């Protein structure tokens, strides 16, 4: 599983950075987004294996991100 690409969508910068440190220590490549709109933009431009998405975020919540991803991705 090492080398998989993970998108981390979380509005709290300290949480994002802490989770990223852990995931990178496990061999994952991590992409960070501060909200759902930023996360969707990354998904358009990067092949992502897994997305970890916060539910409560500004601009676009995690539930809406999941709905958008399901419409355009398998």
């Amino acid at each position: 599983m090492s080398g998989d690409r993970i998108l981390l969508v979380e509005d709290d910068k300290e949480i994002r950075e802490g989770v990223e440190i852990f995931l990178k220590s496990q061999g994952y490549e991590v992409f960070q987004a501060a909200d759902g709109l930023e996360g969707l933009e990354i998904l358009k431009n990067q092949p992502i294996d897994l997305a970890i998405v916060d539910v409560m975020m500004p601009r676009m919540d995690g539930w809406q991100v999941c709905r958008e991803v399901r419409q355009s991705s398998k």
Side-chain angles (χ1 to χ4, degrees):
M1 207 175 333
S2 205
D4 287 341
R5 299 162 63 98
I6 296 177
L7 171 62
L8 178 58
V9 186
E10 165 63 60
D11 59 324
D12 185 310
K13 184 179 178 182
E14 290 181 15
I15 292 173
R16 256 193 345 263
E17 290 176 351
V19 173
E20 179 184 33
I21 289 168
F22 172 76
L23 291 172
K24 283 185 172 183
S25 76
Q26 300 301 305
Y28 295 102
E29 185 174 354
V30 180
F31 295 83
Q32 288 189 27
D35 61 48
L37 293 176
E38 190 177 323
L40 290 177
E41 191 63 33
I42 291 170
L43 284 168
K44 285 185 203 174
N45 299 308
Q46 298 292 333
I48 298 294
D49 299 301
L50 173 71
I52 301 172
V53 183
D54 184 13
V55 175
M56 296 179 65
M57 295 181 292
R59 298 196 325 153
M60 179 183 285
D61 68 31
W63 297 114
Q64 186 61 37
V65 171
C66 290
R67 284 189 287 274
E68 296 284 333
V69 169
R70 287 183 178 152
Q71 288 180 4
S72 63
S73 176
K74 293 181 182 180

